[in-house]
Amino acid sequence: MSVPSLTISKGLDPKSQEEDFVHNVYNEIAPHFSQTRYKPWPIVEKFLKSREDYSVGIDVGCGNGKYLGINDKLFMIGTDRSDGLISCAQELSKNSYNVGVADGLNLPHPNDSLDFAISIAVIHHFATEERRIEAISHVLSKLKIGGEFLIYCWALEQENSRRGYKEGDEQDILIPWVLAKKQEKKPKQPKRKRRGENTNNNEQVELEESTPEVAEVEVVAKEQLEEEAKQSQTKYRYYHLYKKGELIENALKTNHCTIVEDGYEKDNWWVIVKKI
Amino acid sequence: MKFLTTNFVKCPIKGCQSSLDAFPLKYEECQLAQEEQEYNPEFLCHMLERLDWNAILKVAHDLGNDSLPPTKPEDLDPIMEDDQAILKDLHTLLLETQVVDGKMVCKNCQHIYYIKNSIPNFLLPPHLC
């Protein structure tokens, strides 16, 4: 077993919830998180490679910018709420990516001006359904009529994955990210190592290439969570796990798009919508 | 932040969306740097078609460059020698000129956004979002 996920208290102020359980956490884990995020997901790659040559688009919540260099015939601007992750994007690309720090609900682009957008594993971090719909609507407002927008959100239905969430489970949860504290590592003490089991830190398939030191963190008993959290620096990120049909429903509630294509890939629901 | 990016960003404040003054931002106290980028004339020609040239002129002026043609160069052909010179200049300006540090001011609401280490920051204080 791994560090368990937790349910989140209901009724927190949405903005402070996002600050505490999304913005601050990503800044704290940014360099480590960035190391585990370099493999493009196939559907996203396909979407970007099928854009018309020389189109202009945005990646909302671009993280370390792993999708900004997929197709060099596009002009893409990536923004993220986390300045830590944007610094990673800048360093990784040697300052060749076009990136900026911005909030997904207050994007710095003229309305009706862009050809396409992507937002990969981002919208599920907004604290309420109203804000998730608003986030989709806001990105659409930046697109030209007919512009396409690819959205990925983490799925509730992932019984085949290590975490095993399934239909009927709690959808609003806190997912642990364990930062290994390098200075406290005791290499001579043969503790239970969990290399290869990919214990604790994250959900994505890329984990297989994650750094070995992460896998050496001790397993945490639930009752000791708080104490252990201090020692091993467990950070919790808030996610809304999308159930089947919910992402499409959210998109349609904006009243500004039609569905082009949708599907399920690697524990995520995805949809391509077209602005109307 | 590349010069080219200035043609695609504006003040994110809701009330500035429909204001004609809100685009482009006004660039003040900027430090520039030249950073080599791969020269791609095809890309430049296509980007040029969709650029708001007036905005390019305004930003160039903010940054101390008043030498651009007042009307947008059109129908450039990467094979023609004269056009090549123009394209090379545009490449140097739009893709290789980085704003490393400076301020971006919205001419509608006067809010100031900062560029640091080439990264523009458009986050708003809580009372504005």
Side-chain angles (χ1 to χ4, degrees):
Chain A
M1 67 162 281
S2 58
V3 180
S5 57
L6 306 173
T7 53
I8 189 164
S9 321
K10 304 287 177 194
L12 296 176
D13 172 61
K15 286 184 185 175
S16 25
Q17 177 179 321
E18 287 161 15
E19 191 177 337
D20 294 342
F21 293 107
V22 183
H23 307 156
N24 292 345
V25 182
Y26 274 108
N27 275 337
E28 283 165 333
I29 70 174
H32 178 212
F33 178 84
S34 172
Q35 286 170 22
T36 67
R37 294 295 186 281
Y38 52 84
K39 245 165 85 176
W41 288 349
I43 301 275
V44 186
E45 193 170 1
K46 188 178 154 211
F47 178 82
L48 291 173
K49 289 190 168 163
S50 63
R51 296 306 92 198
E52 201 177 312
D53 286 354
Y54 314 111
S55 343
V56 177
I58 50 173
D59 182 351
V60 179
C62 68
N64 69 359
K66 70 171 178 175
Y67 293 115
L68 299 176
I70 297 278
N71 180 347
D72 61 10
K73 288 188 171 166
L74 304 176
F75 184 71
M76 285 184 73
I77 298 176
T79 52
D80 201 284
R81 182 63 180 67
S82 162
D83 54 332
L85 285 172
I86 287 297
S87 293
C88 292
Q90 188 192 34
E91 279 167 34
L92 285 171
S93 72
K94 300 191 173 63
N95 204 23
S96 71
Y97 291 163
N98 311 298
V99 290
V101 183
D103 186 297
L105 297 177
N106 296 282
L107 291 169
H109 313 290
N111 287 349
D112 310 304
S113 68
L114 302 162
D115 301 313
F116 70 92
I118 63 173
S119 186
I120 309 303
V122 174
I123 308 269
H124 52 213
H125 286 312
F126 285 99
T128 64
E129 179 175 52
E130 190 188 10
R131 287 170 72 79
R132 292 187 285 273
I133 295 169
E134 190 187 341
I136 297 171
S137 187
H138 187 61
V139 174
L140 286 168
S141 75
K142 304 300 170 189
L143 297 184
K144 293 176 180 168
I145 304 284
E148 292 187 346
F149 177 23
L150 170 63
I151 312 167
Y152 257 74
C153 287
W154 214 13
L156 179 64
E157 300 84 351
Q158 38 179 303
E159 283 183 76
N160 296 328
S161 86
R162 180 170 46 81
R163 294 192 181 276
Y165 302 127
K166 59 188 187 302
E167 198 185 336
D169 283 357
E170 174 59 51
Q171 286 182 265
D172 294 290
I173 58 169
L174 294 171
I175 301 287
W177 180 283
V178 180
L179 282 168
K181 256 190 179 175
K182 280 182 186 166
Q183 65 271 28
E184 289 185 6
K185 263 170 60 178
K186 296 169 189 165
K188 281 168 197 161
Q189 206 174 334
K191 292 193 171 180
R192 283 176 296 159
K193 290 192 175 180
R194 297 185 161 260
R195 299 178 71 131
E197 198 189 316
N198 301 328
T199 28
N200 29 40
N201 77 331
N202 70 28
E203 64 282 6
Q204 318 287 14
V205 284
E206 296 119 323
L207 187 67
E208 270 123 53
E209 291 95 15
S210 184
T211 52
E213 78 213 52
V214 177
E216 290 171 19
V217 179
E218 284 281 86
V219 167
V220 181
K222 199 163 188 172
E223 59 271 16
Q224 293 176 309
L225 201 67
E226 213 170 286
E227 181 59 25
E228 292 285 316
K230 272 184 214 157
Q231 285 177 19
S232 60
Q233 294 196 339
T234 302
K235 306 291 177 190
Y236 285 92
R237 285 171 300 159
Y238 166 77
Y239 280 83
H240 175 77
L241 300 180
Y242 272 79
K243 58 186 182 194
K244 189 178 182 184
E246 189 180 1
L247 181 55
I248 290 178
E249 201 178 285
N250 278 186
L252 290 174
K253 276 188 186 161
T254 64
N255 290 320
H256 289 297
C257 65
T258 55
I259 309 297
V260 177
E261 210 184 333
D262 69 289
Y264 178 89
E265 184 194 48
K266 291 182 176 165
D267 302 333
N268 286 270
W269 294 109
W270 60 269
V271 62
I272 298 171
V273 298
K274 187 193 284 257
K275 177 167 173 175
I276 49 173
Chain B
M1 178 182 181
K2 295 189 188 94
F3 191 117
L4 182 57
T5 307
T6 67
N7 220 254
F8 300 99
V9 295
K10 67 178 293 187
C11 178
I13 292 171
K14 300 274 189 284
C16 295
Q17 285 312 306
S18 55
S19 161
L20 293 176
D21 291 328
F23 179 81
L25 292 162
K26 186 161 177 54
Y27 291 75
E28 293 180 352
E29 298 167 35
C30 289
Q31 283 193 317
L32 307 181
Q34 292 300 124
E35 285 181 18
E36 201 175 317
Q37 301 287 339
E38 196 181 335
Y39 176 58
N40 184 341
E42 285 293 322
F43 178 84
L44 261 179
C45 289
H46 284 92
M47 290 308 299
L48 195 56
E49 280 172 26
R50 67 182 296 156
L51 289 184
D52 180 329
W53 192 252
N54 280 329
I56 295 285
L57 291 175
K58 283 181 187 165
V59 176
H61 175 78
D62 290 347
L63 301 177
N65 179 348
D66 288 311
S67 66
L68 292 175
T71 54
K72 178 155 67 176
E74 289 191 17
D75 301 322
L76 294 178
D77 185 341
I79 295 170
M80 304 298 287
E81 211 165 294
D82 288 354
D83 290 357
Q84 271 179 29
I86 298 172
L87 284 168
K88 282 264 167 64
D89 281 351
L90 286 171
H91 174 72
T92 305
L93 178 74
L94 298 174
L95 293 165
E96 298 194 319
T97 305
Q98 286 271 354
V99 184
V100 179
D101 270 286
K103 294 176 180 179
M104 303 175 284
V105 185
C106 174
K107 283 173 281 185
N108 186 54
C109 72
Q110 311 307 323
H111 191 75
I112 301 173
Y113 302 90
Y114 291 89
I115 302 167
K116 284 182 184 153
N117 298 321
S118 294
I119 298 174
N121 189 321
F122 296 99
L123 291 184
L124 300 169
H127 69 280
L128 289 174
C129 50

